[in-house]
Amino acid sequence: MQIRLFGDPLAKGGEIPIQTIRLSIELETKNEILVHEPSLDVVCDFVDGKAFGDAFGIALRSISGWWTVKSASIRNTKAVILTIKRDTVIAPTQTRIVPFCLSQTDVFRLDSIDVDVEAISHDGTHRNIAVVIPVHHQSLWNQTLYQPIKATYFYALEMPTAFLAVPPVFENSGKKSPPILALRMCLLLFGLEIQRILQMVPVSTSLMHLFGQSLFPAIDKVG
């Protein structure tokens, strides 16, 4: 079974893999020379108001001309801050995911992150692209109620990448192991990454019991 194509059926509560294909067609106006591609955005879930990852990606496509994305500002909240990882050049007809570091000054519970992305063309023209990013909120896990959580990290230090975090089927006994296992050689072992992310959000005692407390020494000292 190709999990890369179908996903993990157990994460969706079934045993049969299902491939979902969505096709949408819409007309592009010629006035839009730099457009948002929302299906390619990389956004983590928010757990109890806190981001489950620090990587954030906004996909933009150039209809015409060369563009350099320099920065972004959030319109609807001060609780979330986006800092561009590096200036990103977009060639004509090219689509690129612009990498941002996400940080927080407070909990965030709104349904979307409204962003103004600043881009400069090859001839020095400035343009702001208004982008609305939907946000999926989740509650803290416990031993009976949980849903897969979409987390993000920077692959190769720069590429925003998403993965799903799910609890183990059985309790951790004996030798402690990382909670996330890479399924392909082309993927990284996510154990250390998920450990770092979990230290950014409040973790219930039951969740630590599922994963094994020794995996989270920083949390052990708090709890």
Side-chain angles (χ1 to χ4, degrees), residues 13-217:
E15 296 182 356
I16 300 175
I18 299 175
Q19 186 175 29
T20 303
I21 300 175
R22 182 180 63 184
L23 175 64
S24 61
I25 301 175
E26 60 184 34
L27 296 177
E28 292 180 345
T29 62
K30 293 184 178 180
N31 293 331
E32 296 178 337
I33 55 179
L34 190 62
V35 297
H36 178 217
E37 295 289 350
S39 63
L40 299 179
D41 290 338
V42 180
V43 185
C44 65
D45 288 349
F46 279 69
V47 180
D48 199 28
K50 295 190 177 182
F52 209 75
D54 61 354
F56 195 94
I58 299 177
L60 298 175
R61 177 162 59 95
S62 172
I63 303 299
S64 175
W66 289 80
W67 294 90
T68 301
V69 180
K70 306 287 290 185
S71 64
S73 58
I74 298 178
R75 301 189 304 271
N76 62 334
T77 182
K78 294 182 179 179
V80 176
I81 300 172
L82 293 180
T83 305
I84 194 166
K85 189 78 170 177
R86 53 174 168 75
D87 292 355
T88 302
V89 178
I90 306 176
T93 72
Q94 184 183 39
T95 300
R96 298 197 65 180
I97 298 175
V98 184
F100 294 90
C101 293
L102 185 151
S103 58
Q104 288 185 250
T105 59
D106 201 351
V107 295
F108 176 79
R109 303 190 187 278
L110 300 180
D111 293 332
S112 67
I113 299 176
D114 301 347
V115 184
D116 284 330
V117 181
E118 180 190 0
I120 303 176
S121 68
H122 187 66
D123 61 4
T125 302
H126 288 253
R127 180 173 290 268
N128 284 332
I129 303 95
V131 174
V132 177
I133 309 291
V135 173
H136 183 230
H137 291 275
Q138 294 210 44
S139 302
L140 289 175
W141 283 348
N142 59 44
Q143 288 181 309
T144 57
L145 298 175
Y146 54 84
Q147 293 291 330
I149 299 175
K150 185 167 73 170
T152 59
Y153 75 108
F154 286 106
Y155 175 76
L157 303 179
E158 287 192 348
M159 184 63 188
T161 306
F163 65 96
L164 288 181
V166 297
V169 178
F170 305 105
E171 292 186 8
N172 233 337
S173 60
K175 183 180 178 181
K176 305 302 181 182
S177 302
I180 300 296
L181 177 65
L183 300 177
R184 289 277 177 172
M185 290 301 293
C186 61
L187 300 178
L188 295 176
L189 181 64
F190 293 128
L192 294 178
E193 182 66 22
I194 193 70
Q195 176 175 325
R196 183 185 65 80
I197 293 172
L198 284 173
Q199 290 176 359
M200 297 166 56
V201 299
V203 180
S204 64
T205 302
S206 59
L207 177 58
M208 288 191 292
H209 182 65
L210 283 172
F211 280 139
Q213 290 187 340
S214 64
L215 286 173
F216 309 104

